[in-house]
Amino acid sequence: MLIGHQPKDFLLAVSGLTVSFDGFKAVNDLSFYVEESEIRVIIGPNGAGKTTVLDLICGKTRATAGSIQFRGKELTRMKENEIVKTGVGRKFQTPSIFEDLTVFENLEISFPRGRSVFGSLTFRRDATVKRRVEEVAEMIFLKDRLNVYADELSHGQKQWLEIGMLLIHDRQLLLLDEPVAGMTDRETEDTAALILDLAQDRTIIVVEHDMAFVRSLGARVTVLHEGSVLAEGSVEHVQNHPRVIEVYLGR
């Protein structure tokens, strides 16, 4: 924790977080703190607990002990759908999109009015919906692909589409799990630019292995090992940290 700050001062405060699976602690007394409009990158070897941390924040996995506070609300006591309503959005490693729908339709069904039972019955594709879909499609580099079915997109474009589905709903905390995995070099560069742009008015946590991509974000990095924080700081700091080199970067 930064000196002089309390957990309530941060957008996201993870304190003493632990989760055990059959006695194995996948996350072990983990604490880290993320500020408003910050990009935070989480790296570490396989099995370090990176994806599990995202699962805990979004409520997919329940904590054994500890606290996760988002804007002062205790997420560990909430269900997944309740956490979504607070403004938390999650992109998984494998894009969760509807491949038999067009890009426009994928973004349209994510529009807030269409997500409730009543909303889906009364939903209309009005000018507000069209305008918002087009705005988001331009942000995610898919404005000229709106009428293309999602299964025809490249892997990188599918990743962008899933991010767009979060943006339509205006999530304020985005959890991105390996967003550039399988992307071309150009797509990776574009994704870095997208994340930097989104961070102007959102907070973003990125789990990633691609260190060139991590460097391009210029963000604070948290290194996990065996479910705990091994090191934290700038990319330069963690890359020169002896233990990080030993357990992760040296491999």
Side-chain angles (χ1 to χ4, degrees):
M1 187 188 306
L2 300 179
I3 296 173
H5 287 263
Q6 297 299 317
K8 62 180 172 42
D9 297 328
F10 295 90
L11 181 92
L12 181 75
V14 175
S15 307
L17 192 63
T18 298
V19 63
S20 299
F21 301 114
D22 297 325
F24 170 72
K25 290 185 177 180
V27 173
N28 184 17
D29 195 25
L30 175 67
S31 297
F32 68 94
Y33 305 89
V34 181
E35 300 188 59
E36 188 97 35
S37 297
E38 179 184 350
I39 301 172
R40 176 64 60 90
V41 180
I42 299 177
I43 67 172
N46 291 334
K50 304 182 298 297
T51 294
T52 303
V53 169
L54 300 191
D55 289 343
L56 289 161
I57 295 171
C58 74
K60 186 172 183 285
T61 297
R62 310 305 295 180
T64 305
S67 170
I68 306 170
Q69 291 191 14
F70 173 63
R71 297 194 189 280
K73 296 179 180 178
E74 182 55 57
L75 300 188
T76 60
R77 303 192 188 111
M78 295 183 183
K79 297 177 181 177
E80 281 187 76
N81 65 309
E82 294 172 332
I83 292 172
V84 166
K85 290 177 181 177
T86 68
V88 177
R90 167 81 179 275
K91 194 205 84 60
F92 292 85
Q93 290 180 9
T94 302
S96 299
I97 59 176
F98 300 96
E99 297 203 344
D100 56 344
L101 298 180
T102 66
V103 169
F104 190 105
E105 290 166 339
N106 268 276
L107 295 173
E108 181 181 41
I109 62 174
S110 301
F111 195 83
R113 288 206 309 259
R115 294 188 67 86
S116 66
V117 174
F118 179 75
S120 63
L121 293 174
T122 60
F123 185 80
R124 294 292 181 271
R125 184 182 287 185
D126 58 21
T128 301
V129 174
K130 290 181 180 178
R131 184 168 56 251
R132 182 59 180 157
V133 167
E134 289 172 357
E135 287 173 352
V136 170
E138 185 167 16
M139 293 170 67
I140 60 173
F141 318 115
L142 294 178
K143 191 170 184 179
D144 63 346
R145 309 284 283 170
L146 280 170
N147 296 318
V148 173
Y149 283 93
D151 67 350
E152 299 176 28
L153 299 176
S154 70
H155 176 72
Q157 290 171 330
K158 290 177 181 178
Q159 300 272 40
W160 293 338
L161 178 56
E162 188 176 16
I163 293 173
M165 293 167 74
L166 299 179
L167 299 180
I168 281 280
H169 213 288
D170 200 27
R171 305 291 182 219
Q172 290 304 298
L173 174 61
L174 303 182
L175 311 176
L176 307 181
D177 199 351
E178 298 192 23
V180 299
M183 285 190 176
T184 64
D185 290 344
R186 177 58 188 272
E187 287 173 337
T188 298
E189 291 173 6
D190 287 343
T191 302
L194 172 62
I195 290 173
L196 289 168
D197 183 52
L198 295 178
Q200 293 182 46
D201 55 7
R202 293 173 183 81
T203 302
I204 304 173
I205 297 178
V206 180
V207 166
E208 192 48 71
H209 287 286
D210 185 330
M211 290 305 297
F213 173 71
V214 172
R215 282 192 295 273
S216 71
L217 296 177
R220 188 173 180 85
V221 178
T222 298
V223 186
L224 298 189
H225 177 54
E226 296 180 349
S228 300
V229 174
L230 178 65
E232 194 168 75
S234 67
V235 175
E236 292 75 16
H237 171 74
V238 300
Q239 283 189 312
N240 290 297
H241 193 288
R243 283 286 288 151
V244 175
I245 295 171
E246 179 186 349
V247 306
Y248 181 49
L249 297 177
R251 293 186 176 186

